[in-house]
Amino acid sequence: MAGKPAGLTASWSDVWLLDGVRTPFADYNGALARVSPTDLGIKAAREVFARSGVSPRDVGAVITGSMAQASFDTYCLPRHVALYSDVPIEVPAHMVQRVCGTGLEVLMQAADFVTHKEIELTLCVGAESMSRNPVASYTMRDGFRMGGVDFKDFLWEALRDPAADVSMGDTAENLARQYQITRGEVDAFAARSFERAVAAQTSGFLAGEIAPVKNETFERAPYQPRALKLKGVKELAADTHVRPSPLAALAAIRPAFGGVQTGGNSSAIVDGAAAALVASSDYVKTSGKSALSPAPPWACRRKSWASARCRRSRPCSSAPASSFRISIVSRSTKRSARK
């Protein structure tokens, strides 16, 4: 409609986040580098059922999120996550992709299913392997001339928007210039983030949401077994990117895109998975489980419009904006959102 800002808003009155768990997040080419996103997703899904005590047979839909084609069977990821976590085969399963917003999209669709499709419980899984992003070619099917081999790094190329001819890193630098965010501010924000993460890890605050990962085989008759095999370690129980990162050390790192961003103050390139159970209030009551929280409202557009729409919705008034956590490419992007 003319004169009305475009965007998506969503709120629910009968949807609950029942439980959730995640694997540790391992650095690029680290302990999880050989594990497909499907197996990471299966591990997270199995763990959320084990910890919550919820039966997989109660699930009415499975929604998964994964961006990259990080294994040959990624097209089957939703179905395999469902099967190997013992969800009944007749339960529908599908995958969504919304780049950095994929996780939120999974939860939004789950809440819509509970609200509008008479589904009492939805399994939500997000899994990603940055390490297994392929070196790929889209032009080799007919062969190639001498010197004309055309293989490119999918992880690098997929982050470039050819319409605007900018990469994700360029977008963050544009925001830094637009909102006059300095390198010093970005490094200070990152140092504070690392300091808080180290404190949370040391105190055990993060341990409750993490499922340690070991070498493991997933089986369900009559299907072929799947294997999860770690690289270089017998067990992974904590995030590996969390480390002391003082401001002086961050300030010494070379910029990655000619501006404020560096490998130290940007979001980590990691592998891992998470799973959550989204349920109706009726299911929460009849199951006797304690839910984590009601599902919060979401708004998707630029920050000022989304925040205004969120504040006008009644459910959002119960939670301060600081309680919502987002993951974007860099600290400069996050600081521009604050400004």
Side-chain angles (χ1 to χ4, degrees), residues 172 181 185-194 197 241 250 260-268 328-338:
I181 299 170
E185 289 179 298
V186 177
D187 284 341
F189 190 100
R192 186 164 62 252
S193 295
F194 275 114
H241 191 73
L250 293 174
V260 303
Q261 295 173 96
T262 71
N265 65 30
S266 297
S267 297
I328 311 180
V329 62
S330 71
R331 269 78 176 187
S332 63
T333 310
K334 293 178 182 179
R335 284 193 61 81
S336 68
R338 284 188 171 187

Side-chain angles (χ1 to χ4, degrees), residues 108-180:
M108 290 173 68
Q109 289 195 18
D112 282 340
F113 275 33
V114 170
T115 301
H116 303 296
K117 299 187 184 300
E118 299 182 353
I119 289 176
E120 297 294 322
L121 180 69
T122 302
L123 170 64
C124 301
V125 175
E128 205 71 56
S129 175
M130 306 299 276
S131 299
R132 288 170 60 100
N133 270 239
V135 175
S137 173
Y138 290 101
T139 61
M140 295 293 100
R141 185 65 67 185
D142 294 330
F144 52 88
R145 293 186 178 186
M146 184 179 296
V149 180
D150 183 28
F151 285 91
K152 294 184 178 180
D153 185 345
F154 192 92
L155 183 57
W156 182 259
E157 296 295 330
L159 296 179
R160 171 166 292 277
D161 180 353
D165 194 26
V166 295
S167 69
M168 187 177 288
D170 295 329
T171 298
E173 295 294 352
N174 289 339
L175 288 170
R177 286 189 291 270
Q178 180 180 351
Y179 291 98
Q180 299 179 346

Side-chain angles (χ1 to χ4, degrees), residues 3-29:
K4 195 172 184 179
L8 295 174
T9 59
S11 62
W12 307 271
S13 59
D14 187 40
V15 180
W16 291 79
L17 298 176
L18 186 59
D19 211 333
V21 69
R22 66 177 177 90
T23 70
F25 293 127
D27 276 309
Y28 177 72
N29 278 336

